[in-house]
């Protein structure tokens, strides 16, 4: 896996007229993981989108080197296609090298995505993320909708990723079990 | 290039395949329905049909191109497909350009084919039919481009987006209609050349307009 880097300096985010946070800085090296914690509406998802380069920060700079994978509440899977075909589209783009853990998704490949539950879609998105082979993982509420077993599997997935030298940012209001997980409370940076 | 083929295969499968459940056929059926109803409305006088039929076909083609607009980009924006593609370094411009090609393929050539039975229903002669099909070949890429640009601009609108797209398309597609249908009356190739020129400009700017609109939509 290529060496990756993710650091933010003095980030601020404004949504509409409201300043969500300011003066936020952190740096992640390969193998490290960071949890963004805080109550709803504190700006966790906005920060994830800023880190992904999908949203411009109101102030501050972002330094990101390496391919980036994102999990959020939208699975980006075609609803009318069977799950296998929907995942095959992304697999064709990502050209996955190694076999990835399947999180029980193999049993669902023939079912159209629109009939899948929230948790099943989330599992499919995690499988796509694992196959993407990106060194930087941005996870926005990855445990939402997952049952207990799938949540453990998700935590293991992220732990393995970090052990292989990947880095991860997890935005979650729930506890996320991961060795060496650093915490960043977004509420500390509220204006 | 590999990326273009993968995107095009998905777009075509979605537009032509089972995904839309007959949504592709809908513009063509609508187009034929207009050609079929027109003689009933104005009466069966052959020379009136011959003189006005070509223009009616053009109006039908313009209105038929409105039908697929509302789902052209909206589902991919809502599902986060554009975000996932952006993370993989695939520019919105490229995705929109491929979508434009797929959108045209899904309604341009079918409309040109449907022009044959439409011409028979309206009693158009061979020369008129030839000008009509050439005009549609020159004009439908422009119609597809205008439609896609409007779809990219109205993508964030909740409710009413589809109706607004239809209303917006009409004035913007007017130059295509003027020159495309005008070629039928003039009987020359000048009108077709102008239609092709307008189409070319529209096709050239669509990927950039679409890309900017989708990126701007993320900030909202």
């Amino acid at each position: 896996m290529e060496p990756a880097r993710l650091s933010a300096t003095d980030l601020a985010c404004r949504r509409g007229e409201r300043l969500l946070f300011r003066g936020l800085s952190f740096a992640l090296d390969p193998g490290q993981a960071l949890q963004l914690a805080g109550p709803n509406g504190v700006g966790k998802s906005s920060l994830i989108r800023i880190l992904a380069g999908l949203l411009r920060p109101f102030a501050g700079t972002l330094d990101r080197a390496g391919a980036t994978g994102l999990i959020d509440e939208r699975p980006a899977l075609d609803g009318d296609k069977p799950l296998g075909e929907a995942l095959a589209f992304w697999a064709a783009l990502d050209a996955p090298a190694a076999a990835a853990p399947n999180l029980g998704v193999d049993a669902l490949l023939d079912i159209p995505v629109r009939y899948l539950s929230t948790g099943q879609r989330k599992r499919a998105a995690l499988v796509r993320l694992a196959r993407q082979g990106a060194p930087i993982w941005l996870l926005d509420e990855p445990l939402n909708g997952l049952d207990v077993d799938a949540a453990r599997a998700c935590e293991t997935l992220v732990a393995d990723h970090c052990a292989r030298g990947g880095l991860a940012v997890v935005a979650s209001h729930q506890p996320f079990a991961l060795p060496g997980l650093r915490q960043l409370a977004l509420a500390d940076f509220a204006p | 290039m590999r990326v273009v083929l993968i995107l095009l295969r998905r777009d075509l499968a979605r537009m032509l395949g089972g995904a839309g459940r007959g949504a592709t056929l809908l513009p063509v059926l609508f187009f034929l329905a207009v050609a079929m109803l027109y003689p009933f409305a104005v009466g069966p006088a052959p020379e009136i049909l011959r003189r006005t039929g070509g223009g009616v076909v053009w109006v039908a083609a313009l209105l038929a191109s409105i039908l697929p607009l509302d789902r052209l980009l909206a589902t991919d924006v809502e599902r986060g497909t554009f975000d996932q593609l952006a993370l993989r370094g695939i520019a919105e411009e490229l995705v929109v350009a491929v979508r434009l090609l797929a959108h045209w393929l899904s309604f341009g050539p079918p409309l040109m084919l449907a022009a044959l039975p439409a011409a028979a229903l309206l009693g158009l002669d061979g020369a008129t039919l030839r000008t009509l099909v050439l005009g549609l070949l020159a004009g439908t890429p422009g119609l597809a481009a205008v439609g896609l640009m409007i779809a990219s601009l109205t993508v964030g609108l909740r409710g009413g987006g589809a109706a607004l797209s239809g209303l917006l398309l009409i004035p913007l597609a007017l130059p295509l209609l003027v020159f495309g249908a005008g070629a039928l009356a003039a009987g020359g190739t000048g009108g077709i050349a102008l239609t092709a020129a307008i189409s070319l400009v529209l096709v050239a700017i669509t990927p950039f307009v679409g890309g900017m609109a989708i990126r701007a939509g993320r900030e909202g």
Side-chain angles (χ1 to χ4, degrees):
Chain A
M1 202 178 278
E2 61 193 285
R5 193 174 68 248
L6 181 67
S7 70
T9 318
D10 267 337
L11 278 188
C13 170
R14 199 175 80 161
R15 302 297 282 157
E17 293 297 303
R18 217 156 60 90
L19 198 61
L20 290 177
F21 53 80
R22 62 181 159 78
L24 188 148
S25 303
F26 69 87
L28 280 183
D29 290 322
Q32 293 183 326
L34 177 74
Q35 177 169 19
L36 310 175
N40 300 137
V42 80
K44 299 190 292 293
S45 296
S46 296
L47 179 54
I48 287 281
R49 287 182 70 76
I50 288 174
L51 295 178
L54 296 170
L55 202 62
R56 267 199 303 269
F58 180 57
T61 51
L62 176 73
D63 178 26
R64 179 164 54 97
T68 306
L70 169 75
I71 293 281
D72 58 14
E73 80 282 10
R74 298 167 309 162
L77 298 166
D78 291 328
D80 30 40
K81 278 193 209 149
L83 180 60
E85 279 180 39
L87 282 174
F89 166 71
W90 294 106
L93 284 175
D94 294 333
N102 71 58
L103 293 162
V105 160
D106 281 356
L108 309 170
L109 293 181
D110 294 331
I111 303 173
V113 173
R114 67 173 182 281
Y115 295 135
L116 296 179
S117 74
T118 313
Q120 288 170 327
R121 280 177 216 190
K122 184 76 94 182
R123 280 193 276 160
L126 284 165
V127 166
R128 177 186 60 211
L129 176 72
R131 287 178 187 166
Q132 192 185 342
I136 303 175
W137 282 12
L138 304 173
L139 307 148
D140 189 0
E141 300 291 358
L143 302 182
N144 269 12
L146 293 182
D147 59 35
V148 178
D149 289 342
R152 292 295 87 76
C154 172
E155 286 165 350
T156 312
L157 197 66
V158 179
D160 289 348
H161 171 70
C162 290
R164 283 196 309 270
L167 48 84
V169 178
V170 183
S172 181
H173 57 272
Q174 305 173 45
F176 195 88
L178 194 67
L181 181 67
R182 281 155 52 193
Q183 299 282 331
L184 187 78
L186 249 64
D188 296 350
F189 300 93
Chain B
M1 199 57 216
R2 195 179 61 88
V3 172
V4 170
L5 287 178
I6 294 169
L7 290 173
L8 186 62
R9 204 168 54 207
R10 168 173 178 263
D11 285 357
L12 283 178
R14 255 161 43 107
M15 288 178 188
L16 298 176
R21 252 163 275 287
T24 321
L25 223 53
L26 207 59
V28 176
L29 290 177
F30 176 83
F31 177 83
L32 283 174
V34 173
M36 211 147 48
L37 287 174
Y38 185 66
F40 287 111
V42 300
E47 94 280 0
I48 294 182
L49 286 180
R50 223 183 347 262
R51 216 177 55 238
T52 57
V56 169
V57 169
W58 262 96
V59 172
L62 196 155
L63 295 178
S65 79
I66 293 174
L67 293 174
L69 290 190
D70 58 330
R71 304 318 285 166
L72 212 46
L73 293 169
T75 38
D76 277 347
V77 170
E78 283 160 16
R79 287 190 189 132
T81 312
F82 275 104
D83 292 350
Q84 290 289 342
L85 289 171
L87 281 168
R88 286 159 176 80
I90 300 166
E92 288 81 4
E93 281 81 357
L94 180 71
V95 185
V96 174
V98 171
R99 187 66 46 94
L100 174 58
L101 179 61
H103 174 42
W104 178 74
L105 285 173
S106 75
F107 95 92
L111 278 196
M112 284 188 280
L113 277 179
L116 301 177
L121 286 165
L122 298 167
L124 303 183
D125 55 36
T128 313
L129 176 62
R130 192 172 147 274
T131 315
L132 184 66
V133 172
L134 280 177
L136 286 177
L137 178 64
T140 44
L143 282 180
V146 172
L148 191 56
M149 270 193 275
I150 291 170
S152 72
L153 292 170
T154 56
V155 82
L157 301 180
R158 300 269 169 273
L164 187 61
S165 308
L167 284 177
L168 277 173
L169 183 111
I170 289 166
L172 291 173
L174 208 56
L176 288 167
L177 184 68
V178 168
F179 291 113
L184 291 166
T189 52
I192 291 174
L194 279 170
T195 312
I198 297 168
S199 274
L200 209 58
V201 172
L202 290 169
V203 167
I205 62 173
T206 296
F208 302 101
V209 172
M212 278 161 73
I214 287 162
R215 276 194 299 277
R218 289 201 182 109
E219 300 282 335

